[in-house]
């Protein structure tokens, strides 16, 4: 592969692993007759933290391992990524997220058949607000993403032991989930929500219900706003 092709493939592959492992833990906790059924929010946040860590390790030797359009936008604003790569990165990330969710579905195929709650099923794909309020929901996602992007940019100013950075990023995701994720499920990543929501729309899931597209703009727009704010603050400081 050429350098650019390899970089885009890394975003696709890394995001696929991210969603497979991240939404995989949600499926394990939420779907009927899973061994992890009912394990709760702490298990989900720990699973997502581990998913991000491993996905960054997997993709990081091939590219920057953004795995998130909001991160890609933030790094473009700070000059760490060429603007011409933003759209290709985002397309690769969304495609990887779709495939990751399809793999979750295949992994838990029998359990999806046993689950009759449409909300639980959708929750294994996309995020949603516990209290639907557009202003509150946007603020929640924007603040969570602000913390994510600003921290990632700040990490670049620190010297870590070689190979440690992805682990620190995983701890960051765990912290955001535990502290800020209870309102909207902390998408903090447009691809993480959009790709799986597309998969939910097209997959032949029994009892799947509505894909809730009326909410889908929140985990797309709000993380981008948070990323812009984080990048601009970083530029002012640095």
């Amino acid at each position: 592969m050429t350098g650019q092709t390899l970089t885009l493939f890394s975003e696709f592959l890394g995001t696929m692993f991210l969603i497979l492992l991240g939404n995989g833990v949600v499926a394990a906790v939420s779907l009927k007759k899973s061994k992890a059924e009912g394990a709760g929010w702490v298990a989900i946040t720990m699973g997502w933290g581990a998913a991000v860590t491993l996905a960054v390790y997997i993709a990081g030797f091939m590219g920057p391992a953004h795995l998130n359009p909001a991160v890609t936008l933030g790094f473009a604003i700070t000059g760490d990524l060429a603007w011409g790569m933003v759209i290709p990165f985002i397309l690769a990330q969304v495609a990887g997220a779709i495939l990751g969710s399809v793999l979750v579905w295949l992994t838990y195929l029998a359990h999806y058949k046993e689950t009759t709650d449409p909300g639980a099923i959708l929750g294994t794909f996309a995020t949603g607000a516990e209290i639907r309020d557009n202003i509150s929901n946007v603020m929640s996602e924007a603040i969570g993403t602000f913390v994510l992007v600003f921290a990632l940019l700040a990490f670049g100013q620190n010297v870590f032991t070689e190979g440690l950075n992805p682990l620190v990023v995983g701890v960051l995701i765990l912290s955001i989930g535990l502290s800020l994720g209870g309102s909207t499920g902390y998408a903090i990543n447009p691809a993480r929500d959009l790709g799986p929501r597309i998969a939910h729309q097209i997959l032949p899931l029994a009892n799947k219900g509505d894909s809730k597209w009326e909410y889908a703009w929140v985990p797309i727009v709000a993380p981008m706003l948070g990323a812009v704010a984080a990048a601009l603050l970083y530029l002012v400081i640095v």
Side-chain angles (χ1 to χ4, degrees):
M1 293 185 182
T2 64
Q4 182 172 314
T5 301
L6 184 63
T7 299
L8 292 175
F9 178 72
S10 74
E11 291 296 318
F12 168 81
L13 186 68
T15 310
M16 183 204 76
F17 275 102
L18 170 67
I19 300 304
L20 173 59
L21 298 175
N23 274 352
V25 70
V26 182
V29 169
S30 303
L31 297 178
K32 292 299 180 182
K33 299 184 179 180
S34 160
K35 291 182 181 294
E37 183 182 357
W41 184 247
V42 173
I44 289 173
T45 55
M46 291 182 67
W48 269 103
V52 171
T53 298
L54 296 173
V56 173
Y57 273 122
I58 288 166
F61 78 97
M62 296 178 283
H66 292 173
L67 317 182
N68 181 337
V71 174
T72 294
L73 176 61
F75 276 67
I77 291 172
T78 60
D80 294 300
L81 180 74
W83 280 102
M85 294 297 292
V86 170
I87 296 301
F89 265 47
I90 292 174
L91 292 176
Q93 291 157 358
V94 172
I98 293 172
L99 179 57
S101 261
V102 171
L103 293 176
V104 172
W105 171 63
L106 292 174
T107 300
Y108 286 98
L109 191 60
H111 301 274
Y112 277 108
K113 293 177 181 178
E114 293 288 331
T115 305
T116 58
D117 180 358
I121 292 171
L122 178 60
T124 68
F125 288 84
T127 61
E130 289 301 299
I131 300 174
R132 183 67 194 277
D133 178 88
N134 285 342
I135 295 175
S136 176
N137 301 155
V138 168
M139 290 296 294
S140 178
E141 286 292 330
I143 290 170
T145 311
F146 173 87
V147 173
L148 170 66
V149 174
F150 189 82
L152 291 177
L153 291 167
F155 291 168
Q157 297 295 318
N158 292 271
V159 179
F160 292 100
T161 300
E162 187 174 358
L164 184 62
N165 189 272
L167 186 60
V168 177
V169 174
V171 173
L172 170 63
I173 297 300
L174 173 62
S175 179
I176 292 172
L178 289 172
S179 301
L180 307 175
S183 176
T184 58
Y186 73 118
I188 59 174
N189 179 342
R192 173 264 175 276
D193 190 272
L194 177 59
R197 201 179 295 270
I198 292 171
H200 179 270
Q201 179 72 47
I202 64 178
L203 286 173
L205 291 152
N207 305 309
K208 71 176 179 178
D210 188 71
S211 298
K212 304 291 184 183
W213 286 104
E214 69 275 9
Y215 177 78
W217 68 272
V218 173
I220 294 174
V221 174
M224 293 304 207
L225 295 176
V228 170
L232 293 177
L233 177 61
Y234 175 82
L235 288 176
V236 169
I237 295 171
V238 176

